[in-house]
Amino acid sequence: MAMRCVTALIGGYAAASAAATLLARVLPGDRAEATAWGMIVSFLLYAIIGLWSFHEPRLGRVLLCLWGGALAGVAALWLLGTRP
């Protein structure tokens, strides 16, 4: 249960943060507006991730989805580079 709590808190934050940053990077328009939308979506996504991580019966699937999603988001951001 402790591993599930740590994964939900830290892994969920990492996945939501990577998704929010990626969303702010790919949204068209002004940087400030794209960042604001990314932040708004990140709060909802973090709540959904936290609830799902305690609902899912398999801890391995939770670990894979959260940490894998966070790493995939960071890799996509690294490949995209800085915003022109």
Side-chain angles (χ1 to χ4, degrees):
M1 188 60 152
M3 187 63 174
R4 191 174 293 265
C5 290
V6 168
T7 300
L9 290 174
I10 299 173
Y13 179 80
S17 173
T21 308
L22 185 61
L23 183 65
R25 173 67 177 82
V26 298
L27 280 177
D30 188 33
R31 285 185 184 183
E33 188 173 336
T35 302
W37 275 108
M39 293 291 289
I40 290 169
V41 170
S42 73
F43 289 114
L44 179 62
L45 186 61
Y46 185 57
I48 290 170
I49 287 172
L51 290 172
W52 174 78
S53 65
F54 286 104
H55 175 73
E56 176 62 40
R58 296 184 197 160
L59 178 61
R61 185 180 292 174
V62 173
L63 289 168
L64 181 67
C65 288
L66 291 186
W67 293 113
L71 287 175
V74 169
L77 285 166
W78 182 74
L79 288 173
L80 283 174
T82 59
R83 187 172 184 177

